[in-house]
């Protein structure tokens, strides 16, 4: 395992730990909110906003480790029945499509993050700024894109052996 893999794995594990912490936060907030709503008739007005942001954050924070360990969903029905060379080409094509998506999505996230930062956009009920959450998404997508590039390089190297 090279330096890039070690560093990426370390960052992905930290991000995954943060995703788990957000999951615990979601569970705690929803539990306390239910108690406040039904037990004390004093619901939090911001629960849905905060839980939504936490779900978004947890999902994107978990993506790099999922991609690094290749635990994502892969549709291989076609490549499993094709000759090796043709399957290799289709696999590279699939990585190309995914890379294009990461580029376009990342570019859009960057624009949205800058826009929301400049306008100081916030969630209405809780007044939480939006741009840091978009930043989490952007960092995750950039890291997953780097992992994808590394996986393509490894695929090409292994093909040459």
């Amino acid at each position: 395992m090279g330096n890039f893999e070690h560093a990426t794995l370390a960052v992905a594990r930290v991000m995954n730990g943060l995703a788990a912490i957000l999951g615990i936060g979601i569970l705690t907030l929803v539990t306390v909110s239910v108690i406040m709503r039904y037990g004390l008739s004093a619901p939090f007005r911001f629960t849905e906003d905060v839980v939504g942001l936490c779900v978004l954050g947890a999902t994107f924070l978990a993506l790099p480790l999922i991609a690094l360990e290749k635990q994502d969903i892969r549709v291989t029905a076609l490549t499993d029945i094709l000759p090796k060379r043709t399957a290799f080409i289709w696999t590279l094509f699939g990585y190309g499509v995914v890379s294009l998506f990461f580029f376009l999505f990342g570019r859009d996230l960057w624009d949205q993050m800058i826009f929301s930062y400049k306008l100081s956009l916030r969630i209405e009920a809780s007044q939480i700024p939006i741009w840091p959450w978009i930043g989490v998404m952007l960092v995750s997508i950039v890291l997953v894109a780097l992992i994808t590039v590394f996986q393509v390089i490894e695929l090409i190297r292994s093909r040459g052996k």
Side-chain angles (χ1 to χ4, degrees):
M1 197 180 265
N3 291 338
F4 175 77
E5 288 174 296
H6 282 297
T8 306
L9 183 59
V11 170
R13 284 183 175 162
V14 167
M15 291 173 76
N16 203 55
L18 292 172
I21 291 169
L22 283 175
I24 292 167
I26 291 166
L27 179 65
T28 303
L29 184 59
V30 169
T31 301
V32 171
S33 180
V34 167
I35 291 169
M36 292 296 292
R37 177 179 302 272
Y38 296 108
L40 302 175
S41 295
F44 295 136
R45 62 182 177 86
F46 56 84
T47 302
E48 292 83 7
D49 294 340
V50 175
V51 167
L53 289 174
C54 288
V55 167
L56 175 90
T59 301
F60 277 88
L61 285 169
L63 284 179
L65 189 61
I66 291 168
L68 191 61
E69 294 182 348
K70 296 182 181 176
Q71 297 296 316
D72 51 341
I73 297 171
R74 294 175 185 252
V75 180
T76 60
L78 179 63
T79 56
D80 287 346
I81 61 171
L82 292 173
K84 285 190 177 191
R85 180 168 170 74
T86 308
F88 176 75
I89 292 168
W90 276 105
T91 301
L92 286 178
F93 176 75
Y95 275 119
V97 170
V98 167
S99 297
L100 178 63
F101 167 76
F102 290 147
F103 172 75
L104 295 174
F105 189 47
R107 188 185 65 186
D108 187 53
L109 285 172
W110 176 260
D111 292 343
Q112 293 297 323
M113 185 178 71
I114 297 301
F115 177 77
S116 65
Y117 178 78
K118 285 181 179 177
L119 295 180
S120 299
L121 298 179
R122 298 176 177 276
I123 302 294
E124 188 176 342
S126 59
Q127 291 301 304
I128 296 173
I130 295 172
W131 70 267
W133 297 92
I134 299 172
V136 166
M137 294 168 62
L138 180 61
V139 167
S140 177
I141 288 298
V142 167
L143 188 55
V144 172
L146 289 173
I147 291 167
T148 301
V149 168
F150 180 76
Q151 288 173 345
V152 168
I153 291 168
E154 286 298 309
L155 179 68
I156 292 169
R157 281 186 185 159
S158 68
R159 174 92 168 134
K161 291 181 183 177

